Amino acid sequence: MKIAPILLAAVLTPLWAQEIKMPANLDKLAAKADETVDVTLDGSLLKLAGRFFSGKSDDEVMTKKVLSRLESITVRSFEFSHDGEYEMADVDAIRAQVKGPPWSRIVGVTSRKDGDNVDVYFKDAGNGNLGGIVVLCMEPRELTIVSIVGTLDPSELADLGGHFGIPKLNISISGRRHVQ
């Protein structure tokens, strides 16, 4: 009988690992911030949101397609009046969730001059697809965390920009150009 709980835990662990949990200490930051953005969309809300896109343009068709494969989008952004209103410990709880397989840090930007730091993590879903993306943007007076969970084709990634609090991307992937 001891094997059943172990098997159950092994089966459920990947399900738990899919969601990036926003730490409770982020709620305390909202009280200190001058401006906050708080977007939390689960799979059912994303499917509902997809129904608002008419599909009349190529961009809307692509956005609907991308949304249909997502499980969640979470955005937390805080702007402060003064430097030092948040601590790196506020970000460490997120970083701890994206360490090791299947996550990889693909971008790390650190500026000692102005204090701007950016980390981008991708989760490998196999078959050339992503299983999630986490973006951490840390500036002296601003902290932004974006988590997107679900199956993403990297060539369609830019189509999420400009929606649900996700910044619009101005990049070219596989010959398709996305502009602001």
Side-chain angles (χ1 to χ4, degrees), residues 80 120 143 159 176:
F80 305 98
V120 179
L143 172 63
D159 294 315
R176 293 175 47 214

Side-chain angles (χ1 to χ4, degrees), residues 8-113:
L8 182 61
V11 169
L12 293 179
T13 297
L15 297 176
W16 292 326
Q18 290 180 7
E19 277 297 321
I20 298 297
K21 304 292 185 225
M22 293 295 149
N25 59 333
L26 294 181
D27 293 335
K28 294 177 185 174
L29 291 180
K32 297 179 187 180
D34 294 331
E35 292 184 33
T36 62
V37 174
D38 185 345
V39 177
T40 304
L41 300 170
D42 64 10
S44 61
L45 285 174
L46 288 166
K47 285 177 184 33
L48 177 64
R51 295 178 63 194
F52 287 100
F53 292 94
S54 66
K56 292 181 181 177
S57 72
D58 289 343
D59 283 344
E60 287 190 6
V61 169
M62 191 58 67
T63 301
K64 282 180 87 161
K65 182 178 175 184
V66 170
L67 289 177
S68 72
R69 295 189 310 259
L70 294 183
E71 297 170 27
S72 68
I73 295 176
T74 306
V75 179
R76 298 288 185 275
S77 186
F78 309 94
E79 286 188 36
F80 305 98
S81 295
H82 308 286
D83 292 0
E85 293 287 333
Y86 72 92
E87 300 174 13
M88 279 306 173
D90 295 321
V91 180
D92 288 342
I94 302 291
R95 281 193 175 123
Q97 296 177 63
V98 294
K99 289 207 187 258
W103 289 96
S104 297
R105 182 175 153 203
I106 62 153
V107 174
V109 178
T110 303
S111 173
R112 292 183 193 187
K113 180 180 176 183

Side-chain angles (χ1 to χ4, degrees), residues 116-127:
D116 295 353
N117 301 300
V118 177
D119 291 329
V120 179
Y121 298 87
F122 279 0
K123 180 180 179 184
D124 183 12
N127 298 322

